[in-house]
Amino acid sequence: MTAESAKDKAAHEAELARKLFEEGKISKNALKKKVRLARAVQAWTDKKARRKEENEKKEEKRKKKQNEFFSTLTKEEKDSWEEAMRARREKFRALQAAEKQEKEKLFKESKFHLVIDLGYETLMTDREVRSVAQQVMYSVSTNTVARPPYHLHISGLRESPNTLQRLKRISGYEKWLVRIRK
């Protein structure tokens, strides 16, 4: 739903509430609640539009400043600047790769093991399955920053197709440092 349609819908609801109040079909408190909601939606849409406008102005200003900067550079200076940026990106990627290797090394050397058995899905409601998938995600996330990380084993996924589908929807699932035993 767009901001404008939400604003229109809230205003329409408030108008309907006023009519219902006049007819005696809703209480004064219900009317106040609907009007308050309409005002809140109005404020929200105005704030969102204002932020969008501010961000567009900032981006335009940044691009203008960047273009002015580049227009003053000679071809050699531009090439030098681009080379410096390329080197900076390569250095950053190398640091990320080294960090990843260090995490994997710590993971392999860890003596701690944690097993999460997901074989009980048949006894769970859909809401509980969603909750379990989220808890597994939190466990994996916590494990990535833990020092030393523990060996995380997830078992019982053969019997839990819904949980497996939910885990696969989580971005980065393929990159988890987890042993999955079906």
Side-chain angles (χ1 to χ4, degrees):
M1 180 182 296
T2 65
E4 288 302 316
S5 63
K7 184 170 40 172
D8 293 342
K9 183 178 178 184
H12 181 69
E13 296 263 339
E15 190 59 38
L16 283 175
R18 281 189 187 94
K19 287 180 183 176
L20 290 172
F21 175 71
E22 290 170 2
E23 295 171 5
K25 294 184 179 177
I26 64 169
S27 67
K28 191 173 185 179
N29 284 339
L31 171 65
K32 288 179 182 178
K33 190 175 184 180
K34 295 279 186 183
V35 170
R36 239 187 346 262
L37 176 66
R39 285 187 191 136
V41 169
Q42 175 70 39
W44 172 76
T45 54
D46 291 346
K47 186 176 182 180
K48 189 173 181 178
R50 200 169 43 251
R51 280 187 180 165
K52 184 177 181 180
E53 190 176 306
E54 287 172 3
N55 287 341
E56 286 173 354
K57 284 181 182 178
K58 282 182 185 177
E59 182 65 18
E60 191 177 300
K61 187 177 179 181
R62 185 192 66 78
K63 283 184 178 181
K64 183 179 177 185
K65 191 175 181 180
Q66 186 179 29
N67 288 337
E68 287 174 2
F69 171 73
F70 278 119
S71 66
T72 61
L73 297 178
T74 64
K75 174 131 175 71
E76 294 81 27
E77 289 173 328
K78 284 181 186 178
D79 291 342
S80 173
W81 187 84
E82 288 174 356
E83 184 61 37
M85 292 306 292
R86 194 174 302 114
R88 186 175 173 189
R89 278 192 299 269
E90 288 174 9
K91 183 179 176 183
F92 178 73
R93 288 183 186 133
L95 285 173
Q96 281 184 322
E99 200 174 283
K100 183 178 178 183
Q101 286 177 346
E102 181 186 344
K103 282 183 184 179
E104 289 174 353
K105 181 183 172 196
L106 285 171
F107 177 74
K108 289 175 184 173
E109 294 173 353
S110 177
K111 298 174 185 170
F112 305 105
H113 293 266
L114 176 66
V115 178
I116 300 174
D117 186 7
L118 300 176
Y120 296 97
E121 182 182 295
T122 55
L123 304 174
M124 291 188 243
T125 64
D126 189 48
R127 185 176 181 179
E128 290 170 331
V129 170
R130 273 187 273 136
S131 178
V132 164
Q134 189 172 27
Q135 290 172 34
V136 169
M137 179 189 67
Y138 289 149
S139 299
V140 171
S141 175
T142 302
N143 192 36
T144 59
V145 295
R147 292 294 177 251
Y150 45 89
H151 289 278
L152 185 59
H153 304 269
I154 299 176
S155 66
L157 282 176
R158 183 178 297 139
E159 299 89 28
S160 336
N162 292 338
T163 307
L164 183 59
Q165 286 175 345
R166 290 195 181 278
L167 290 176
K168 285 183 177 179
R169 279 191 233 153
I170 298 170
S171 100
Y173 166 78
E174 305 82 28
K175 298 177 185 176
W176 286 358
L177 292 175
V178 173
R179 291 191 178 106
I180 297 178
R181 303 179 188 278
K182 296 183 180 182

